[in-house]
Amino acid sequence: MSLIRPTASSSTFRALGLGLGGRGLHTSRALAIRASTPRRDATVAADETGGFKYIPGGPILKGTVNDATPQIEASRSHGSYHWAFERVLSAALVPVTVGAAVSTGSAYPILDGILAVSLIVHSHIGFDSCRVDYLHPRKFPVIGPIVSWVLKIATGLSVWGVYEFNTNDVGLTELVRRLWKA
């Protein structure tokens, strides 16, 4: 018995299930070429995939991974000013929240309205960033615009609801104060 060349025959390997892909081990070049050709029974039929055509590698998207990203037109309102606005709004929420908490909402309705609208705009920017990151138009051409419009409508309805709540009811700050004491 040799360590380099085992004495077990290819039929022994096949019987034990040790062959490559269920095929026997061959030493002859002609038998190895015949064994490596694809078998007809290994193809996937359309009815085996639930009626969908099998595409190796998944669905076909326009372009390839090696295509350059299209250049977006430069816009001052969307670049650094947009980033600066987000940071200023986030930093301004701290003193506005403290000011609204110290004063009563019914005595200072303007401050209460500024707090409510700032929170809504801050939330809108955050949800929009999530939408841009996770629902890219190339991958989700239908649901991406739908989610964008749902977010815009929800933000508009929230601003309208806060306006109604601050003008016709106790206001956001007074509501938080009452819930805190309850």
Side-chain angles (χ1 to χ4, degrees):
M1 181 165 159
S2 170
L3 292 176
I4 298 173
R5 187 178 217 165
T7 57
S9 67
S10 62
S11 62
T12 307
F13 280 110
R14 255 184 278 146
L16 294 174
L18 299 174
L20 299 174
R23 299 179 185 154
L25 300 175
H26 304 287
T27 55
S28 165
R29 179 173 165 76
L31 290 175
I33 290 173
R34 192 182 84 198
S36 65
T37 57
R39 300 183 311 190
R40 297 264 180 212
D41 61 343
T43 58
V44 178
D47 59 347
E48 294 175 5
T49 60
F52 297 104
K53 183 179 177 189
Y54 174 72
I55 301 171
I60 298 173
L61 299 173
K62 295 178 184 175
T64 66
V65 294
N66 295 325
D67 289 347
T69 303
Q71 185 68 28
I72 299 172
E73 293 296 323
S75 172
R76 290 180 153 234
S77 64
H78 190 69
S80 62
Y81 293 139
H82 180 76
W83 184 85
F85 175 73
E86 289 177 359
R87 299 308 171 265
V88 167
L89 179 65
S90 298
L93 275 172
V94 174
V96 170
T97 304
V98 170
V102 171
S103 65
T104 58
S106 56
Y108 301 99
I110 302 289
L111 183 62
D112 198 33
I114 290 172
L115 173 64
V117 171
S118 298
L119 286 172
I120 291 172
V121 171
H122 179 74
S123 299
H124 175 83
I125 290 171
F127 285 126
D128 192 50
S129 296
C130 292
R131 180 197 60 84
V132 167
D133 288 344
Y134 296 111
L135 296 176
H136 194 272
R138 181 176 175 193
K139 192 169 183 181
F140 299 99
V142 176
I143 191 111
I146 291 173
V147 170
S148 176
W149 278 105
V150 166
L151 179 61
K152 290 173 186 174
I153 291 169
T155 301
L157 289 174
S158 298
V159 170
W160 176 57
V162 163
Y163 170 76
E164 289 292 324
F165 188 66
N166 281 341
T167 56
N168 298 329
D169 208 345
V170 293
L172 181 66
T173 309
E174 189 63 30
L175 173 70
V176 172
R177 184 181 314 273
R178 289 180 184 181
L179 288 174
W180 190 270
K181 291 181 180 178

